[in-house]
Amino acid sequence: MQLTYRGANYEYDIPTVDMIEGQVAGKYRGQDWNYRYPRHIPVPQKYGGANSNTKQEVQALRDVAAASAIAAVQSSPTVAEVAQVQRRHICSILDRRQQVAKAKGDERLMRLLEIEWKQMAC
């Protein structure tokens, strides 16, 4: 297909998608019509039948998911631990900023950083 954009001509080939026919979905104006799926997508199975899970299997899957969620919550750090790590990180950044200010000889920045250091009480 020949297209033009702001005076520039270019050729555009519409990509084709390999489709497969599914089961008959209904009728439209007296004709059967089928679901169509791209070939790389598996055709979904009907609800129920040989491929469906039993209630016990579904409950077992839910139990496993709930147990893993509980384990994840129990192993997560507490608020106090997170606050302590954050405080150490801020103090290390502040220390590095002081070292850079000393190396540059910036007295004004050194005074500001000392005030910040006292506020943080690192």
Side-chain angles (χ1 to χ4, degrees):
M1 177 187 304
Q2 182 71 31
L3 299 174
T4 304
Y5 179 71
R6 293 187 177 184
N9 295 324
Y10 64 96
E11 190 69 31
Y12 178 69
D13 292 325
I14 298 173
T16 59
V17 178
D18 191 20
M19 302 293 281
I20 57 174
E21 298 269 334
Q23 61 189 349
V24 174
K27 286 189 179 271
Y28 179 71
R29 292 188 176 183
Q31 299 290 324
D32 288 341
W33 63 274
N34 299 357
Y35 287 115
R36 293 178 50 135
Y37 302 99
R39 185 165 296 283
H40 66 282
I41 298 176
V43 177
Q45 299 296 324
K46 289 177 71 177
Y47 182 74
N51 293 332
S52 70
N53 294 330
T54 63
K55 287 183 181 179
Q56 292 83 8
E57 291 171 340
V58 171
Q59 186 59 41
L61 291 172
R62 287 182 183 158
D63 292 343
V64 169
S68 64
I70 290 170
V73 169
Q74 289 174 347
S75 66
S76 63
T78 64
V79 174
E81 292 170 340
V82 172
Q84 184 180 13
V85 169
Q86 182 183 13
R87 184 176 188 79
R88 279 196 309 253
H89 183 66
I90 290 172
C91 288
S92 68
I93 291 172
L94 186 56
D95 187 44
R96 184 174 179 282
R97 288 174 62 202
Q98 282 182 330
Q99 291 172 3
V100 171
K102 255 186 216 175
K104 288 185 176 182
D106 191 346
E107 294 297 324
R108 181 178 175 276
L109 181 56
M110 281 298 298
R111 284 192 303 272
L112 291 172
L113 290 173
E114 286 173 14
I115 292 170
E116 190 174 342
W117 188 267
K118 288 177 186 175
Q119 288 175 349
M120 284 297 297
C122 293

